[in-house]
Amino acid sequence: MERKKLLLDLLRQAHEMETSFVDALSDGQRARSGTLEDWSAKDTIAHVAAWKARMADNLLAVSEGKSPTRTEDLERQNAIFFETYRDEPWEEVLGVADGAFQRILAQVEALGEQELVSRETFPWQEERPLWRLVVGNGYIHPIAHLAEFHRNQGNREQAAQMIGEMASSMAGLDDGPAWQGAVKYNLACHYSLLGAAAEAIRELQEALALNPGLTDWSKQDPDLDAIRGEPEYQAIYEP
């Protein structure tokens, strides 16, 4: 499938999953107020919407010959987003989410293939093509947070299913080993967070074989903390 069409499909898929997520919430989950350390369902939707909007704004800025906005301190920005929407009603947050989705979709629809593979759109791309930043912000990031919410609620099977579908869906964006390794690395992280050590170690080993550039980060990634004591994990890094 053409990369741009698949990318647009993934953005729509993530938005549909967010909508289904909201529709399935209980009255108690809808009414619950969160904290900066323990987000509610509404905080989660507002967070992913804010980052989609930031990506859409940056794509628009570049298209207009303006400078995009770089976020230097992610924790501080997340706190700002949290405070911005914490007291807003659900209707307002859902409106923001829908608007952010429509804006990022429109910006991606306006991009050509050469623009999608450009590694110089934003100064902070670090050799990554633009499409990887888009899929990260518009697809991986939202679904990862929805899965995290389900994990925290004890819905481990639902979380695992979401992550498995995500990995399967986005694998077709690029056949190269770097991307395939990144897909498997994401799976490893989520299996680790689920407590599925054997699956996490298997995916991590395959990920690093495909994309050795992830090795240094894997040694400090907090998502993998749960498996660091496993002999099979430690054997991955033995010379």
Side-chain angles (χ1 to χ4, degrees), residues 2-231:
E2 180 189 354
R3 179 183 287 125
K4 179 177 173 178
K5 183 180 185 306
L6 178 54
L7 185 57
L8 290 168
D9 286 348
L10 293 178
L11 294 176
R12 295 186 182 99
Q13 183 186 118
H15 187 62
E16 290 170 2
M17 291 177 76
E18 291 171 45
T19 301
S20 297
F21 169 82
V22 173
D23 289 345
L25 292 171
S26 67
D27 290 342
Q29 288 171 325
R30 287 174 177 271
R32 178 178 175 269
S33 296
T35 66
L36 186 57
E37 294 75 27
D38 180 20
W39 294 349
S40 67
K42 187 181 73 173
D43 300 327
T44 298
I45 294 297
H47 172 84
V48 298
W51 282 110
K52 284 185 192 179
R54 176 62 60 89
M55 172 60 76
D57 289 344
N58 279 337
L59 290 172
L60 177 61
V62 169
S63 73
E64 295 177 342
K66 301 175 183 177
S67 297
T69 300
R70 181 172 188 175
T71 303
E72 299 288 352
D73 188 334
L74 293 179
E75 288 190 9
R76 181 174 181 274
Q77 187 60 63
N78 286 338
I80 291 171
F81 287 152
F82 175 81
E83 292 297 335
T84 299
Y85 297 107
R86 66 179 300 180
D87 296 323
E88 295 294 332
W90 264 107
E91 292 75 12
E92 176 68 23
V93 169
L94 293 177
V96 170
D98 188 62
F101 162 66
Q102 296 296 341
R103 286 162 58 199
I104 193 172
L105 197 69
Q107 291 303 315
V108 174
E109 285 178 332
L111 295 171
E113 180 63 20
Q114 288 303 113
E115 292 168 305
L116 284 172
V117 299
S118 172
R119 300 173 188 270
E120 299 178 349
T121 306
F122 304 135
W124 56 85
Q125 283 183 231
E126 299 176 350
E127 294 301 310
R128 293 170 295 174
L130 179 61
W131 65 263
R132 284 194 59 169
L133 276 67
V134 173
V135 77
N137 241 302
Y139 184 70
I140 298 173
H141 181 235
I143 295 177
H145 276 297
L146 298 186
E148 179 182 29
F149 183 91
H150 285 304
R151 282 198 308 270
N152 292 341
Q153 295 291 309
N155 302 325
R156 295 163 58 86
E157 290 186 6
Q158 191 166 2
Q161 180 180 357
M162 293 178 71
I163 297 304
E165 291 177 359
M166 179 182 76
S168 176
S169 295
M170 68 183 186
L173 284 165
D174 191 333
D175 292 334
W179 177 244
Q180 295 300 315
V183 171
K184 285 185 168 294
Y185 185 84
N186 273 309
L187 270 177
C189 289
H190 289 289
Y191 279 132
S192 174
L193 292 167
L194 283 169
E199 290 87 348
I201 292 167
R202 181 194 67 227
E203 296 294 342
L204 178 62
Q205 186 171 25
E206 294 178 4
L208 299 185
L210 288 164
N211 188 345
L214 294 169
T215 302
D216 287 345
W217 171 242
S218 72
K219 294 177 181 178
Q220 56 184 307
D221 189 342
D223 286 352
L224 299 175
D225 285 350
I227 62 173
R228 296 203 196 282
E230 301 290 334

